[in-house]
Amino acid sequence: MAREENGRNVHLECTARRGGSVFAQLLLAALLIAAALTGASGTAAGQTAMIFADDFEGAFAGWTLGGTPDWYTGDPKNGSHSVRLRRVESMQQTISTAGYANIGVSFYLGAESLEGSENVRAVWYDGSAWTVLKEIRNGDPEEDGQLHYFEYALPADAESNTEFALGFEVNGKQGNDFGYVDDVVVRGDVVQHTLALAGAGAGTVSVDGVPRSLPWSGSFPYGTSVALEAVPDACYAFSGWSGDLSGSSNPDTILMDGNRSVTANFSQIQYTLSLTGSNGSVTVNGTPQSLPWSGGFDCGSTVALEAVPDSGWQFDNWSGDLSGDVNPTTITMDANKNVTANFSQIQYTLSLSGSGNGSVTVNGTPQSLPWSGSLPYGASVAVEAVADACYAFGNWSGGLSGSSNPDTILMDGDKNVTANFSIIQYALSLAGSNGSVTVNGTPQSLPWSGGFDCGSTVTLGAVPDACYTFSGWSGDLSGSSNPDTILMDGEKNVTANFSIVQYTLSLAG
């Protein structure tokens, strides 16, 4: 066995007769078994993998033939079959090395009955030119009709090359110029590519079913199809891939035919808060908002609400997706929310009382005194004092002043109002001569006048002077009853009439 170095090419040769060396057979068997069990994509990252192997036990599968090479069963051979090339025959196989580095090839090659410049060659193709790997010429040690094992490490041009090809050919003149080929193997190290995952927003990505926090990176063999699934965090939604993966399909897959950078984009879910109500407003996170109003908020955020009633109104409670009467309060935006701020008009008490005898009409409705009632803020209430008989309205006092009647009162607070009434006074005027009058038992010289409450009864007694006699009442009182009474239902003028007493003088003689 000998080893030769030429640049990156390494040549290892050993003679195999009737089945080849034990080492060669074991190596080939191991590579063939690995390829059968795992294939290139199943080989551990960075390890040598079988790319191609043919022991020609199945004829010429995939080979392009020049002429009609023999599927040979004669001696020499490995296994049951090898290939025999005659005179000017050839065979070629295109083998993609995409995803593989450090390409190596091995094969068994032999020659027989060459003369002059005749040769048997193994060649490889880099996409633009063929290069000779091994050439056996007349007189070379390998021109012994036996199979010899050769192994080569190829230059970088062979790596990840979809046009890579191997060829074997015999260039002879006679029908007994032979070349022999068997157990062709191409292998390489699986190229690793990095998948780098990032996130915009909040979420994770499962890689081939395994959850991964972001950012994350991992290595995959060339050609691996990696399953990615974006998993948004609570209150986030997946919006699409960017970088080396696009679109919004989820889950999706990415082919690792190079280093890949992918971003999973998440956007925070927005929910709408809709506020309604009348006769007030609501401050939202400290900003006053007229009603109705709506706005968008991030899912999970807490919104501060404060109901602000209009003048004359008061906040009662919240309804809809918020309840209770706590003000200010908060609401959590875990869904679209509809909230109503309920306001009611403030009620104030109007209390009416009277000094004297009378009543009051409130907005046209008679009300006995005292009276009270609830009226809305801002109401203008019409009040009118109605005096009882023999009484007169004087003025208002308390929450309303002056003597205007009717009048109005503005309900901008609780109000207490008094309607002041006074009894009417009437004058009694007495006249007469030659006597006097007692008024309610009190002697009064004539003429005399005095005031009396409306409706009162005054007792009058006529008192004649000496030599006079009471003859009767006149004016607003009539008759001759003495004493007599008069009702003071108005101004009264009364005259007490007296006449002189006449005596008879009788003379006799």
Side-chain angles (χ1 to χ4, degrees), residues 288-318:
Q289 305 292 353
S290 299
L291 299 176
W293 177 88
S294 66
F297 294 90
D298 290 341
C299 169
S301 61
T302 299
V303 182
L305 301 178
E306 182 176 5
V308 181
D310 290 345
S311 178
W313 294 77
Q314 62 188 2
F315 171 71
D316 286 342
N317 55 33
W318 305 100

Side-chain angles (χ1 to χ4, degrees), residues 1 10 22 36 55 83 109 130 207 224 241 262 286 295 297 306 321 325 410 427 441 501:
M1 181 170 61
V10 178
V22 174
D55 58 4
V83 175
L109 188 67
W130 288 92
V207 181
T224 303
W241 307 101
V262 174
F297 294 90
E306 182 176 5
D321 291 318
D325 57 4
L410 179 64
V501 176

